[in-house]
Amino acid sequence: MSTRFVPRGIISRGRQSVVHRAWDSRTQRQVAVKRVDADSGDALRHEARILEAAANPHVVTFLDSGTDDDGAFLVMEPLDGETLEQFVARAPLDAADIEAVASQVLAALVALHGRGIVHLDIKPENLMVSRKPGGTLDVKLIDFGAALEMVGGTFRHGDHEPVVGSLFFVAPERFDRAPADPRADLYSLGCVCYHAATGQCPFQGDTAPQVMVAHVRHVFTPLAVLRPDLPEHLRMWIERMFARDASARPESAAAALEALHDHRAVP
């Protein structure tokens, strides 16, 4: 690692990446440094460019990027708390916490989509959550490795093939490599909210093809069965978010956020 960043342990390890906790000797503060395998340097540089453009209170903060003897690296703010996946593993969330997660992610998506960016990998593992002193949740969207940016009127992922995302949360139209649409992020967030409410994904299977078929056939257990205690408007809102057809979902993140706050049916 660059001599500027002194390793202080590993925060997380993925299939192709490692995020280190480090001390920035130049700014004298703790940071998180993401590295990928040697063949993914271009992808990391693409992610750095996306993340720099995605500045928002509910998106992990980009600090720096560069290349050293070990390859490309991305520097971000260190985040306290845990992933939503870890949070939900202890117990499903109540209505207030579900709405807090949804509201903050949607606020981030309003900003991202407005800048011509779609995330395309919204899942519990990519949402960092912590409790504020008052008890409410604070949510940050992380990992923009699958994100697309608008270039010449279409969404592109640099010079390499787009990543579909996590099968349990990806919109079904993405299986056919359909042109990216911001409403795919809304579908994923709807699946995340269902998971937050129940501890399980709406569309399940033991193999990747089974999960894909479950999305396409759109057969799931209604929230009214699993969480009858949740307000009806919230249950309906979540299920409309992951409607099979994109045209049946909210028309935008802003419309979804308005409907959530106004307790109306999603337009």
Side-chain angles (χ1 to χ4, degrees):
M1 185 176 291
S2 166
T3 55
R4 172 182 168 184
F5 302 105
V6 181
R8 294 279 177 87
I10 293 176
I11 297 174
S12 64
R13 188 186 299 273
R15 286 178 298 177
Q16 296 179 314
S17 65
V18 179
V19 179
H20 301 265
R21 183 178 293 102
W23 177 256
D24 185 343
S25 59
R26 181 182 301 172
T27 63
Q28 296 293 296
R29 62 178 174 178
Q30 296 282 350
V31 296
V33 178
K34 181 176 182 177
R35 288 193 176 275
V36 295
D37 58 41
D39 295 331
S40 301
D42 288 343
L44 189 64
R45 283 184 282 272
H46 170 81
E47 182 178 356
R49 185 173 66 253
I50 291 282
L51 193 56
E52 185 173 17
N56 182 270
H58 300 298
V59 173
V60 61
T61 301
F62 169 86
L63 298 176
D64 201 356
S65 64
T67 305
D68 59 16
D69 292 342
D70 295 320
F73 61 86
L74 171 60
V75 186
M76 304 164 286
E77 65 172 321
L79 295 177
D80 296 325
E82 56 192 343
T83 67
L84 183 63
E85 177 72 21
Q86 295 169 320
F87 212 84
V88 173
R90 291 194 297 275
L93 304 188
D94 62 19
D97 281 346
I98 294 170
E99 290 200 27
V101 170
S103 295
Q104 293 176 61
V105 176
L106 283 171
L109 291 180
V110 168
L112 294 175
H113 295 170
R115 296 176 184 133
I117 299 169
V118 287
H119 189 277
L120 294 184
D121 198 16
I122 294 175
K123 58 185 178 182
E125 296 93 330
N126 283 343
L127 296 175
M128 293 295 297
V129 298
S130 58
R131 287 280 182 197
K132 296 179 182 178
T136 59
L137 289 183
D138 184 57
V139 184
K140 295 256 189 178
L141 180 59
I142 64 172
D143 197 342
F144 282 69
L148 306 183
E149 58 186 334
M150 183 72 77
V151 178
T154 60
F155 287 103
R156 295 184 56 191
H157 193 284
D159 296 324
H160 53 288
E161 185 70 11
V163 179
V164 169
S166 172
L167 286 179
F168 289 102
F169 301 94
V170 70
E173 62 267 21
R174 296 292 296 152
F175 299 143
D176 296 326
R177 299 293 187 185
D181 185 314
R183 289 172 294 184
D185 281 344
L186 304 187
Y187 183 99
S188 298
L189 179 56
C191 292
V192 166
C193 290
Y194 185 103
H195 178 269
T198 65
Q200 64 189 50
C201 301
F203 307 107
Q204 302 180 42
D206 294 327
T207 65
Q210 288 175 355
V211 176
M212 295 170 72
V213 168
H215 280 286
V216 171
R217 292 181 176 174
H218 205 70
V219 177
F220 63 93
T221 303
L223 283 168
V225 174
L226 299 177
R227 287 295 304 270
D229 60 300
L230 292 179
E232 182 181 12
H233 76 82
L234 180 58
R235 298 197 307 264
M236 292 177 61
W237 182 89
I238 292 172
E239 291 178 8
R240 282 294 295 277
M241 287 284 281
F242 61 77
R244 170 64 179 85
D245 296 325
S247 62
R249 300 170 205 156
E251 61 184 13
S252 66
L257 185 58
E258 181 182 4
L260 178 64
H261 287 169
D262 289 350
H263 296 179
R264 299 196 303 257
V266 175

